[in-house]
Amino acid sequence: MLRLLTRFIGLLLLAGGFIALIVDGTRSIAGGRLLVTTLNKGASEFFPALYQGLQSGVSEKSALLWDPVFTTLLLLPISVAFGGLGALLIVLSHKQETTPRYWRR
């Protein structure tokens, strides 16, 4: 059951990444230059209170964790972040194939 849920969440994230890629591609074609929506911009526009809470909470715990780590991760495009995380969850949800073991003497 957990494997099914993990695969479903991975599929949703992969679809969200593909949709974000299509939106960025459409905006880039209409604008005549490359326009990419980063996680930082998307989070601050769609969830401003949550983004500010996350920033202040992580900065209180460790300023070094927010500044080099989180700011670097938030520069990723939404399509790459969602697609990569979704693909990782799908790969991790597959059952490990056991090879038959034959013992020879």
Side-chain angles (χ1 to χ4, degrees):
M1 184 68 179
L2 186 61
R3 185 175 293 137
L4 178 70
L5 182 65
T6 305
R7 188 174 294 168
F8 182 69
I9 292 171
L11 195 62
L12 285 177
L13 284 171
L14 194 62
F18 186 68
I19 290 170
L21 182 67
I22 290 172
V23 169
D24 285 345
T26 305
R27 285 184 27 210
S28 295
I29 290 172
R33 60 186 174 100
L34 182 63
L35 298 171
V36 178
T37 306
T38 62
L39 282 172
N40 190 9
K41 184 178 177 186
S44 63
E45 284 181 5
F46 292 113
F47 308 109
L50 181 66
Y51 178 72
Q52 291 296 332
L54 178 71
Q55 181 180 4
S56 64
V58 172
S59 294
E60 286 176 6
K61 298 289 182 188
S62 173
L64 291 175
L65 183 64
W66 176 258
D67 192 20
V69 177
F70 272 91
T71 54
T72 305
L73 287 176
L74 289 174
L75 291 176
L76 283 174
I78 292 177
S79 58
V80 172
F82 283 4
L85 185 60
L88 181 70
L89 285 176
I90 289 172
V91 167
L92 290 177
S93 69
H94 281 283
K95 188 182 244 184
Q96 297 289 334
E97 292 186 23
T98 58
T99 58
R101 295 185 179 149
Y102 300 104
W103 294 91
R104 291 185 182 186
R105 290 189 174 193

